[in-house]
Amino acid sequence: MLPDSTALLALNDDPRGRLHASIAAELARAWPDLDLPVLTQRGHHVGGGLPKDCILLTPVDRGLLRTPTGPSPYRIITACRVGDGFARESIVLLPASGVRVAVDGAEWTVAGDLDRLPSFGSDVVLVGPGQRDLAAGRLNGRPVAAVPDAAFRMMMVALGRATAAVCLPEGDRCCTPWNYAAAVLAVHGAGGKTRAPDGKDLAHSPLAARTGWLASLRAPDLDGLVPLTLSQPPGTVRASP
C-alpha cells in the first residue's frame, strides 16, 4: 500500500499538514494497486542509484510557499511513477493556480484554469534565477526570464505558457530526477521535446542526475539553445534548483 498522509508528512517535514494530506490522497487515487517505495530527495543521495520501481515525490520547498504579497505562483508538487528505471506516469499539482496535470505515457489530462498561470512572451527562454546573466550572454540578446523552480519552468513549456526553458550546467550542480522526471512526461505528452546536454531525449532515457536540460515545444528551438549547455566544468555532483 502507498504511505498514508502521516508517513508522507514525516517525509516532507511539513508542519501544516493539509497540503501533504492532499498529496497522499492524490497518490492513492492515481495508483491504488501499487506497492512501491515513495522517495523524496531529502535524505536520498543525489549520486546514488534509484530503485528500478518507485515513486519520486518532490517535497514542498518552503522558500517557494509564499512571497511578501501572498502565495508564490511558482509552487509545484510532482509525483512520478518510475518503472524499470524510466519515468512512466506522473501527477503535477500547481496549487497557486489550481491546475492539475496527469500523464500516462503519451496520454495526459489537464484540469483547472490555465489562464491563472503566469504567461511569458513567445520568444522568452525560462532559466533559473542564478543563470539569467549567463543565458542572456550566450543567447545573443534573446529575452530570458528567471523562474525559480526547474520543474515549474518545464511545466510552463508543457502547458503552452512559455516556448522554451532550460536548466543550465553550472559548476558542480546537477539536475536530479526529482527536478525533471514528472515534467518531462508532460512536455512529451504535449508534443514537445526535452534534451540533455549529451543530446539524449529525456522522455526515453533512464532517470539519472543530469548536468542540465533543454525543453521546447518547437524542435528548432532545441538546436538554437545548444550553446547554453556548453562548457560544463568538472566537479562533485550536487542538486540544482
Side-chain angles (χ1 to χ4, degrees):
M1 295 291 292
L2 288 169
D4 61 17
S5 59
T6 302
L8 286 173
L9 289 174
L11 282 171
N12 289 278
D13 190 28
D14 175 27
R16 293 178 306 169
R18 292 178 298 174
L19 188 56
H20 290 289
S22 70
I23 295 172
E26 281 283 345
L27 293 178
R29 283 195 298 268
W31 303 310
D33 301 323
L34 299 182
D35 183 13
L36 297 174
V38 178
L39 305 179
T40 64
Q41 187 171 324
R42 183 178 297 162
H44 191 90
H45 190 266
V46 173
L50 294 172
K52 285 191 173 183
D53 300 290
C54 62
I55 293 173
L56 301 183
L57 176 66
T58 55
V60 174
D61 185 340
R62 278 177 283 181
L64 294 177
L65 288 177
R66 296 191 65 82
T67 69
T69 58
S72 168
Y74 303 122
R75 282 192 296 171
I76 183 167
I77 302 160
T78 69
C80 181
R81 182 180 71 80
V82 179
D84 199 26
F86 291 79
R88 302 297 188 188
E89 298 177 78
S90 66
I91 300 168
V92 178
L93 305 176
L94 303 171
S97 57
V99 171
R100 176 187 185 276
V101 181
V103 188
D104 180 359
E107 297 183 7
W108 67 316
T109 58
V110 180
D113 184 1
L114 298 185
D115 288 338
R116 296 181 61 188
L117 293 170
S119 183
F120 303 89
S122 60
D123 201 37
V124 174
V125 178
L126 305 186
V127 301
Q131 302 172 334
R132 187 171 186 169
D133 292 343
L134 174 63
R138 291 188 179 183
L139 289 177
N140 297 321
R142 183 170 176 177
V144 299
V147 174
D149 188 277
F152 191 93
R153 296 197 294 273
M154 196 179 282
M155 285 304 302
M156 291 301 95
V157 173
L159 294 170
R161 309 301 285 178
T163 301
V166 300
C167 183
L168 304 184
E170 186 180 2
D172 58 1
R173 291 182 179 271
C174 76
C175 192
T176 73
W178 285 269
N179 299 133
Y180 71 83
V184 157
L185 294 182
V187 174
H188 180 68
K193 296 289 185 182
T194 52
R195 183 187 296 172
D198 60 6
K200 292 181 179 178
D201 183 342
L202 292 181
H204 301 290
S205 300
L207 292 174
R210 304 285 181 178
T211 56
W213 50 256
L214 310 173
S216 179
L217 293 180
R218 303 186 309 207
D221 241 358
L222 290 178
D223 294 331
L225 295 173
V226 165
L228 291 176
T229 65
L230 302 177
S231 302
Q232 164 67 12
T236 301
V237 172
R238 60 191 175 98
S240 178

